[in-house]
Amino acid sequence: MSAVGALALGLAMVVSGCSGSESTESDSVSSSVSSIVNGVDVSGTTLRVGIFQDVTRVQTENTEFFDDTPYNIEWVRLNGAGPTVQALGGDAIDISWGLSDTAVPKAAAEAKEDWTAENARLKIVALLKPFDPENYPSGIIAANKDAGISSLEDLRGKSYTFNEGGNAHAAAVLALYKAGLTRDDVNVQLLQSDSIASAITTGAVQAGSSSTSALAAALDAGAVERVATAAEVGFPGYVSIVARSGALADAKIDAAIGDFVGRATKFHKWSAANPDDVADAFVKAQQLTDEQALLAAKTTASTVLPVGQDDPGTKVEVDLTDLLVKSGFLPRVVDVRSLVDDRYSAQIEAGNQ
């Protein structure tokens, strides 16, 4: 994590899209809506939510799950895991919806002091599990059709891109690890997440790690080829909802987060069951064809999981972290169970009913 003192300049560069200064339906709390959430009056509270793609905001506007919240929502679009971790650590946002599940363990592994359950600056409060990873993987290792890459071993000597710090980075490292390669065996080209798909599609970079949804148009057109799925290289492809610890310690923001997590759980359950409706958002936000948009919708579908110490999702994270240390993505062992907070399990369980 960067020093907090450096955040002002960094955030000025990476924060874009929606902000609290824009007038939205979510920002205008109806007087008919009760402001009491779990016994806490959240009237006048603003929850700052970091998102990664404009399509997320379009999806929320196309549904009613986030209408009439008893608190204000300020949406902040951030480009990548690194800037999002900075924003959380620098008190620029309260939660991130869709942050790489590897981002918090990586921040902990790179911190000067060990993060414990008591002093961790960030907490994973929910996991988003891919809905149908076998048929519709959320992440892939992809190659330009003219790169001559048909297997992971073919990556040797090729240009190889990913966005440093998050799941694309982790999957990229695991792909090399599975093939018996190291970072020195490829020509690494680090790019921002928004640029990876176009770089592979145009051939500016021969291969890389990306979300499937970002490559939907290129896959449909045959401009890129799927070399391996995230699952095939040992990566489960989860993302997360992450809160800064300071937000969890604030009674009003804590209550707002709990309500938001419950709404997000219902939203994801509906989205997974209605990909055709979700596809409309991809058509609007990314100008995809109907077929391409449907692929994007299905590869981003997910189920929200609680993160109790013995919950299945937490166990997946523990095993993944061990593998990420062996592959070199994480510089040291991290106690993942100290980085999760299960206070919203009841809201998640109710939302999944």
Side-chain angles (χ1 to χ4, degrees), residues 6 36 102 144 249 308 331 348:
I36 305 300
T102 58
N144 182 274
I348 294 171

Side-chain angles (χ1 to χ4, degrees), residues 9-35:
L9 175 60
L11 290 174
M13 297 172 63
V14 301
V15 177
S16 65
C18 302
S19 69
S21 62
E22 297 185 25
S23 176
T24 69
E25 291 183 7
S26 294
D27 294 333
S28 301
V29 178
S30 171
S31 59
S32 63
V33 177
S34 172
S35 62

Side-chain angles (χ1 to χ4, degrees), residues 246-330:
L248 298 176
D250 184 303
K252 290 190 174 186
I253 299 179
D254 173 32
I257 294 174
D259 179 80
F260 184 93
V261 169
R263 292 168 184 263
T265 302
K266 294 176 182 178
F267 169 83
H268 282 292
K269 181 181 179 180
W270 174 86
S271 297
N274 297 276
D276 290 306
D277 292 321
V278 176
D280 291 340
F282 282 97
V283 171
K284 180 178 179 180
Q286 298 181 3
Q287 291 76 55
L288 300 180
T289 66
D290 290 342
E291 184 175 346
Q292 294 165 355
L294 185 59
L295 173 62
K298 290 183 176 181
T299 58
T300 55
S302 59
T303 301
V304 181
L305 303 178
V307 289
Q309 296 294 301
D310 297 320
D311 283 327
T314 303
K315 293 180 179 179
V316 168
E317 294 300 306
V318 171
D319 292 341
L320 173 62
T321 301
D322 291 342
L323 180 59
L324 291 176
V325 172
K326 293 177 183 178
S327 66
F329 175 78
L330 294 178

Side-chain angles (χ1 to χ4, degrees), residues 18-19 26 49 51 57 60 66 73-77 97 260:
C18 302
S19 69
S26 294
V49 181
I51 56 175
R57 185 61 191 276
T60 65
F66 297 93
I73 297 178
E74 180 179 308
W75 302 95
V76 183
R77 186 177 183 274
W97 181 18
F260 184 93

Side-chain angles (χ1 to χ4, degrees), residues 48 88 91 93-94 121-122 242-248 253:
R48 300 168 298 173
L88 286 163
D91 190 18
I93 59 175
D94 300 308
R121 298 179 64 183
L122 308 176
V242 172
R244 59 182 183 86
S245 296
L248 298 176
I253 299 179

Side-chain angles (χ1 to χ4, degrees), residues 123-249:
K123 290 282 189 174
I124 299 172
V125 298
L127 289 168
L128 277 61
K129 175 184 177 181
F131 184 71
D132 186 3
E134 183 174 347
N135 293 309
Y136 298 100
S138 59
I140 59 173
I141 305 301
N144 182 274
K145 65 179 180 60
D146 297 322
I149 299 172
S150 59
S151 69
L152 295 176
E153 290 75 16
D154 292 336
L155 292 171
R156 184 187 296 273
K158 301 297 197 299
S159 55
Y160 190 51
T161 187
F162 51 86
N163 178 51
E164 194 167 32
N167 283 5
H169 183 183
V173 170
L174 288 178
L176 296 176
Y177 182 70
K178 184 176 180 63
L181 304 175
T182 70
R183 187 164 171 156
D184 293 334
D185 293 316
V186 294
N187 177 16
V188 173
Q189 302 289 323
L190 298 178
L191 294 173
Q192 291 188 333
S193 57
D194 287 351
S195 304
I196 291 174
S198 61
I200 299 173
T201 302
T202 61
V205 178
Q206 291 169 296
S209 176
S210 172
S211 67
T212 310
S213 63
L215 287 167
L219 287 166
D220 180 60
V224 303
E225 299 177 354
R226 190 175 85 179
V227 181
T229 67
E232 288 170 344
V233 302
F235 191 70
Y238 289 16
V239 293
S240 61
I241 300 177
V242 172
R244 59 182 183 86
S245 296
L248 298 176

